[in-house]
mmCIF file of all heavy atoms in Angstrom:
data_model
loop_
_atom_site.group_PDB
_atom_site.id
_atom_site.type_symbol
_atom_site.label_atom_id
_atom_site.label_comp_id
_atom_site.label_asym_id
_atom_site.label_seq_id
_atom_site.Cartn_x
_atom_site.Cartn_y
_atom_site.Cartn_z
ATOM 1 N N ASN A 1508 4.975 48.490 -2.261
ATOM 2 C CA ASN A 1508 4.863 48.316 -3.710
ATOM 3 C C ASN A 1508 5.775 49.243 -4.496
ATOM 4 O O ASN A 1508 5.573 49.464 -5.685
ATOM 5 C CB ASN A 1508 3.405 48.482 -4.156
ATOM 6 C CG ASN A 1508 3.130 47.648 -5.394
ATOM 7 O OD1 ASN A 1508 3.556 46.496 -5.473
ATOM 8 N ND2 ASN A 1508 2.444 48.230 -6.372
ATOM 9 N N ASP A 1509 6.794 49.779 -3.840
ATOM 10 C CA ASP A 1509 7.758 50.642 -4.518
ATOM 11 C C ASP A 1509 8.886 49.771 -5.089
ATOM 12 O O ASP A 1509 9.568 49.066 -4.339
ATOM 13 C CB ASP A 1509 8.320 51.640 -3.482
ATOM 14 C CG ASP A 1509 9.316 52.617 -4.099
ATOM 15 O OD1 ASP A 1509 9.897 52.308 -5.171
ATOM 16 O OD2 ASP A 1509 9.519 53.685 -3.500
ATOM 17 N N PRO A 1510 9.102 49.796 -6.405
ATOM 18 C CA PRO A 1510 10.150 48.954 -7.009
ATOM 19 C C PRO A 1510 11.534 49.194 -6.404
ATOM 20 O O PRO A 1510 12.337 48.262 -6.301
ATOM 21 C CB PRO A 1510 10.125 49.356 -8.488
ATOM 22 C CG PRO A 1510 8.748 49.878 -8.719
ATOM 23 C CD PRO A 1510 8.336 50.531 -7.423
ATOM 24 N N GLU A 1511 11.818 50.427 -5.988
ATOM 25 C CA GLU A 1511 13.126 50.700 -5.386
ATOM 26 C C GLU A 1511 13.259 50.044 -4.018
ATOM 27 O O GLU A 1511 14.339 49.609 -3.620
ATOM 28 C CB GLU A 1511 13.360 52.216 -5.279
ATOM 29 C CG GLU A 1511 13.626 52.847 -6.632
ATOM 30 C CD GLU A 1511 13.969 54.332 -6.527
ATOM 31 O OE1 GLU A 1511 14.395 54.772 -5.442
ATOM 32 O OE2 GLU A 1511 13.794 55.032 -7.544
ATOM 33 N N VAL A 1512 12.156 49.992 -3.304
ATOM 34 C CA VAL A 1512 12.154 49.311 -2.004
ATOM 35 C C VAL A 1512 12.379 47.817 -2.213
ATOM 36 O O VAL A 1512 13.185 47.188 -1.513
ATOM 37 C CB VAL A 1512 10.818 49.565 -1.260
ATOM 38 C CG1 VAL A 1512 10.707 48.666 -0.031
ATOM 39 C CG2 VAL A 1512 10.708 51.028 -0.858
ATOM 40 N N PHE A 1513 11.710 47.282 -3.209
ATOM 41 C CA PHE A 1513 11.902 45.862 -3.493
ATOM 42 C C PHE A 1513 13.358 45.579 -3.880
ATOM 43 O O PHE A 1513 13.958 44.601 -3.429
ATOM 44 C CB PHE A 1513 10.967 45.370 -4.601
ATOM 45 C CG PHE A 1513 11.174 43.910 -4.902
ATOM 46 C CD1 PHE A 1513 10.666 42.942 -4.054
ATOM 47 C CD2 PHE A 1513 11.929 43.512 -5.986
ATOM 48 C CE1 PHE A 1513 10.890 41.595 -4.282
ATOM 49 C CE2 PHE A 1513 12.163 42.165 -6.225
ATOM 50 C CZ PHE A 1513 11.640 41.204 -5.375
ATOM 51 N N ALA A 1514 13.924 46.466 -4.696
ATOM 52 C CA ALA A 1514 15.325 46.291 -5.114
ATOM 53 C C ALA A 1514 16.257 46.325 -3.904
ATOM 54 O O ALA A 1514 17.223 45.548 -3.832
ATOM 55 C CB ALA A 1514 15.708 47.375 -6.120
ATOM 56 N N ALA A 1515 15.971 47.205 -2.953
ATOM 57 C CA ALA A 1515 16.805 47.301 -1.745
ATOM 58 C C ALA A 1515 16.695 46.017 -0.919
ATOM 59 O O ALA A 1515 17.691 45.503 -0.406
ATOM 60 C CB ALA A 1515 16.388 48.514 -0.911
ATOM 61 N N TYR A 1516 15.478 45.511 -0.792
ATOM 62 C CA TYR A 1516 15.284 44.250 -0.052
ATOM 63 C C TYR A 1516 16.006 43.108 -0.759
ATOM 64 O O TYR A 1516 16.676 42.290 -0.136
ATOM 65 C CB TYR A 1516 13.797 43.914 0.083
ATOM 66 C CG TYR A 1516 13.594 42.544 0.697
ATOM 67 C CD1 TYR A 1516 13.663 42.367 2.080
ATOM 68 C CD2 TYR A 1516 13.399 41.415 -0.101
ATOM 69 C CE1 TYR A 1516 13.535 41.104 2.647
ATOM 70 C CE2 TYR A 1516 13.280 40.152 0.453
ATOM 71 C CZ TYR A 1516 13.345 40.011 1.822
ATOM 72 O OH TYR A 1516 13.227 38.760 2.374
ATOM 73 N N TRP A 1517 15.845 43.079 -2.061
ATOM 74 C CA TRP A 1517 16.470 42.025 -2.890
ATOM 75 C C TRP A 1517 17.975 42.007 -2.647
ATOM 76 O O TRP A 1517 18.560 40.960 -2.403
ATOM 77 C CB TRP A 1517 16.147 42.325 -4.353
ATOM 78 C CG TRP A 1517 16.579 41.282 -5.345
ATOM 79 C CD1 TRP A 1517 15.856 40.212 -5.767
ATOM 80 C CD2 TRP A 1517 17.821 41.239 -6.054
ATOM 81 N NE1 TRP A 1517 16.569 39.493 -6.686
ATOM 82 C CE2 TRP A 1517 17.778 40.091 -6.884
ATOM 83 C CE3 TRP A 1517 18.954 42.043 -6.068
ATOM 84 C CZ2 TRP A 1517 18.844 39.750 -7.723
ATOM 85 C CZ3 TRP A 1517 20.021 41.687 -6.897
ATOM 86 C CH2 TRP A 1517 19.940 40.554 -7.713
ATOM 87 N N GLN A 1518 18.587 43.195 -2.687
ATOM 88 C CA GLN A 1518 20.033 43.287 -2.496
ATOM 89 C C GLN A 1518 20.435 42.845 -1.091
ATOM 90 O O GLN A 1518 21.358 42.051 -0.913
ATOM 91 C CB GLN A 1518 20.506 44.727 -2.748
ATOM 92 C CG GLN A 1518 22.014 44.853 -2.857
ATOM 93 C CD GLN A 1518 22.580 44.012 -3.992
ATOM 94 O OE1 GLN A 1518 22.135 44.118 -5.132
ATOM 95 N NE2 GLN A 1518 23.532 43.142 -3.685
ATOM 96 N N ALA A 1519 19.706 43.357 -0.096
ATOM 97 C CA ALA A 1519 20.050 43.054 1.298
ATOM 98 C C ALA A 1519 19.868 41.565 1.583
ATOM 99 O O ALA A 1519 20.714 40.939 2.232
ATOM 100 C CB ALA A 1519 19.175 43.881 2.232
ATOM 101 N N SER A 1520 18.778 40.992 1.110
ATOM 102 C CA SER A 1520 18.498 39.587 1.420
ATOM 103 C C SER A 1520 19.435 38.673 0.646
ATOM 104 O O SER A 1520 19.822 37.615 1.125
ATOM 105 C CB SER A 1520 17.051 39.241 1.100
ATOM 106 O OG SER A 1520 16.824 39.324 -0.293
#
Side-chain angles (χ1 to χ4, degrees):
N1508 209 43
D1509 181 338
E1511 288 185 22
V1512 170
F1513 179 77
Y1516 173 82
W1517 186 90
Q1518 192 60 53
S1520 66

